[in-house]
Amino acid sequence: MHISPTGPSATADEELEHQKAAITRLGHELRGLVEATVRTAASPETLHRVADGVRTITGQLTGRRRARAEIPEVDEFPAGTRIYSPVTGAGSPLAPPVKVTPTADGLTGECTLGIAHEGPPGYGHGGMSAMLLDELMGRACTAAGMPGLTVSLQMRYHRPVPLETTLLILARVTGTDDRKIFVSGSIASRTDPDASLVTADGIFVAPDLHRARALFPGLQRA
């Protein structure tokens, strides 16, 4: 049983942490469901029965729905946790999710891609590699004190990225030019970190205040 800390004695921070924990738990279970869905060889009858059950469960997620540009109260945008991020979000059924750690000159991420992220049989989809690097490289900009938006991302695929293998993602800012931020990134396996599977160079741009407010109106209320 999961007891909510809500009540007169609960602080706003306690309630927020309880909400994050619940979202994280649901995300974990949904990732297990997604992985089971893409691996199963169950009969059509079983699949129809499960589909009916999933529809029933979805119907339990009642209440107000978040608007398109609304920043969730559990997020720390732009410099912190995005709990529903499809790359790092613990609450996302789509995310691996990537665990991010600061380094001396940038960031490192660690994750394992599953069958749900498959491109060629046994290997990750090339678009997943691009998404992983875009996320980490963007976060490297923020970690360096220069939040930016992706302008270009040049990908180089050296070797296939294996599934069900712990991956290391590196990202670091290599230079700046006014509002332009230059970033490099790479993906390797943890067992062979010196052999890059995918590398990328990106250009990000830090938007001016007027542009940032236009793009992210929720920032004014966050």
Side-chain angles (χ1 to χ4, degrees):
M1 180 181 293
H2 295 267
I3 307 291
S4 172
T6 57
S9 62
T11 67
D13 286 345
E14 287 173 338
E15 292 180 0
L16 192 61
E17 288 306 311
H18 184 73
Q19 182 73 7
K20 288 181 180 180
I23 292 169
T24 296
R25 182 171 181 239
L26 178 58
H28 174 77
E29 296 301 332
L30 288 175
R31 286 190 292 275
L33 175 62
V34 169
E35 190 70 9
T37 298
V38 298
R39 299 189 79 132
T40 187
S43 68
E45 292 74 21
T46 297
L47 296 178
H48 281 300
R49 185 171 64 253
V50 171
D52 289 338
V54 171
R55 176 180 291 181
T56 299
I57 291 171
T58 300
Q60 296 179 37
L61 296 175
T62 59
R64 190 182 72 84
R65 291 180 178 267
R66 178 163 56 97
R68 181 181 67 87
E70 182 181 349
I71 299 171
E73 63 177 6
V74 291
D75 273 8
E76 301 163 4
F77 180 78
T81 301
R82 302 295 310 283
I83 201 163
Y84 295 115
S85 163
V87 179
T88 60
S92 171
L94 308 176
V98 178
K99 297 179 181 179
V100 181
T101 305
T103 64
D105 63 347
L107 297 175
T108 182
E110 187 170 305
C111 73
T112 301
L113 297 181
I115 301 298
H117 306 116
E118 188 174 58
Y123 297 97
H125 193 289
M128 283 300 304
S129 295
M131 187 163 69
L132 295 175
L133 284 166
D134 182 52
E135 174 77 11
L136 265 289
M137 292 164 73
R139 288 179 65 125
C141 294
T142 301
M146 300 172 289
L149 303 174
T150 313
V151 172
S152 70
L153 196 64
Q154 182 178 1
M155 303 289 299
R156 291 176 295 277
Y157 296 87
H158 306 286
R159 302 173 181 84
V161 175
L163 301 176
E164 300 181 334
T165 299
T166 303
L167 303 175
L168 294 179
I169 311 153
L170 303 179
R172 65 185 183 93
V173 172
T174 59
T176 60
D177 180 9
D178 192 19
R179 292 192 295 113
K180 287 185 178 181
I181 310 156
F182 303 96
V183 192
S184 66
S186 64
I187 300 175
S189 69
R190 189 171 64 180
T191 55
D192 193 3
D194 295 325
S196 294
L197 304 172
V198 183
T199 56
D201 291 303
I203 301 174
F204 292 71
V205 168
D208 59 34
L209 185 58
H210 176 74
R211 180 65 171 161
R213 285 176 173 170
L215 287 171
F216 310 112
L219 278 175
Q220 300 175 43
R221 301 184 298 272

